[in-house]
Amino acid sequence: MITIDIATLFPEMCEAVMDTSIIGRARREGKYLLRCHNIRAYTTSHQGRVDDYTYGGGHGMVMQADPIARCLDATLQLYADAGAPRPRICFMTPAGAPYSQEKAKALAALQGLVLVCGHYEGMDQRVIDAYADEEISLGDFVLSGGELAALAVADSVLRLQPGVLKSPEGYEGESFYTGLLEYPQYTRPDVWRGMAVPPVLLSGHAANIDAWRMGMAVRRTRQRRPDLYKALPPEIASPPAKKPKKKK
Ligand code: ADE
């Protein structure tokens, strides 16, 4: 069972998200262990200070190294006390490596993961240098804090854990897992505002449905994400053409 620790200035925000929906149910069922740690609890400042001005000048405040380091030491001690291997420590920063489903799969195979959330204008580089196994960015945009990024990473990792989704097919067919974008989905009614569900989906013919879905996934990927399309193995990118029907 995986353990995820989130080091944050806003543990209540992380708790609220992790207690919601599928991930929340799985948490209550004990499918994984999640702990949120308040970095502010580890400051030695009497005012509860966790940030300070940036050396060299510039706007905004920078999170100090020491409260984060002390929070991480306490977290690592929990693993040591449990006789568990050292967890992987990932700092959420816009300067990190872009996150992907492939990364989610790799993190999901770990026993322990610590996600560190920055705030203000960033974190003192020295604590990143001292503790980070890696830095992760959610994408080419800047959030006001690392929490939304950490929660996205935690969600994507936890839904790959055994027993979290009702059936593993839940994710095996979906966007990115296979390198393809997902095919379109429909539910009742079969005609909505004059738009009908593609007839093949009502045919009950499993092989035709699979072929249609695969074709749509490939087409969408080609149109919307040429970068992903280029990386597809040739047998998926251009499946063998159907034999033309013989004219009578
Ligand atoms: N913190 C602020 N922006 C971020 C981003 N894009 N990814 C991860 N952490 C962040």
Side-chain angles (χ1 to χ4, degrees):
M1 185 179 75
I2 194 169
T3 299
I4 298 187
D5 289 277
I6 304 181
T8 168
L9 289 174
F10 299 96
E12 65 293 345
M13 170 183 176
C14 300
E15 292 283 0
V17 173
M18 300 311 290
D19 277 340
T20 304
S21 188
I22 295 169
I23 296 297
R25 187 194 61 211
R27 188 179 185 191
R28 287 185 288 280
E29 289 172 357
K31 297 285 182 348
Y32 63 89
L33 177 63
L34 178 99
R35 300 177 290 218
C36 301
H37 309 274
N38 192 345
I39 294 170
R40 200 178 296 282
Y42 294 90
T43 177
T44 48
S45 137
H46 295 303
Q47 297 83 28
R49 183 160 203 171
V50 290
D51 63 330
D52 213 326
Y53 294 99
T54 176
Y55 273 124
H59 67 279
M61 306 294 275
V62 175
M63 279 178 77
Q64 293 174 299
D66 205 54
I68 299 172
R70 288 160 47 86
C71 180
L72 292 178
D73 288 342
T75 304
L76 291 175
Q77 192 59 48
L78 294 174
Y79 285 82
D81 291 347
R86 190 184 187 281
R88 191 159 186 87
I89 302 182
C90 303
F91 281 63
M92 301 297 126
T93 84
Y99 195 57
S100 63
Q101 185 64 28
E102 205 177 328
K103 188 82 222 170
K105 275 193 253 180
L107 296 181
L110 298 171
Q111 275 180 263
L113 182 61
V114 180
L115 304 174
V116 188
C117 307
H119 243 268
Y120 311 115
E121 289 306 307
M123 292 174 256
D124 190 310
Q125 183 61 39
R126 291 169 294 184
V127 73
I128 301 178
D129 294 344
Y131 285 87
D133 293 309
E134 63 188 300
E135 292 178 56
I136 294 177
S137 167
L138 208 56
D140 292 342
F141 50 87
V142 182
L143 298 163
S144 55
E147 284 73 17
L148 290 173
L151 290 166
V153 169
D155 183 292
S156 63
V157 166
L158 290 172
R159 64 197 296 287
L160 298 178
Q161 300 302 313
V164 170
L165 295 189
K166 286 268 151 61
S167 60
E169 300 83 59
Y171 59 73
E172 279 169 3
E174 73 198 358
S175 289
F176 305 117
Y177 200 85
T178 52
L180 285 167
L181 298 185
E182 204 172 351
Y183 50 79
Q185 307 255 32
Y186 302 85
T187 186
R188 284 192 285 187
D190 56 3
V191 180
W192 178 77
R193 295 193 180 174
M195 291 177 273
V197 170
V200 62
L201 298 178
L202 308 177
S203 69
H205 191 302
N208 285 355
I209 293 173
D210 284 350
W212 181 86
R213 286 179 166 165
M214 189 62 173
M216 291 303 286
V218 171
R219 190 207 288 184
R220 270 192 163 182
T221 308
R222 190 178 61 229
Q223 288 170 344
R224 298 181 184 188
R225 291 292 302 274
D227 57 320
L228 292 179
Y229 183 74
K230 263 191 233 148
L232 290 174
E235 65 276 15
I236 292 186
S238 44
K242 273 187 192 163
K243 277 185 196 160
K245 277 183 191 158
K246 277 182 196 161
K247 278 185 192 153
K248 283 179 190 163

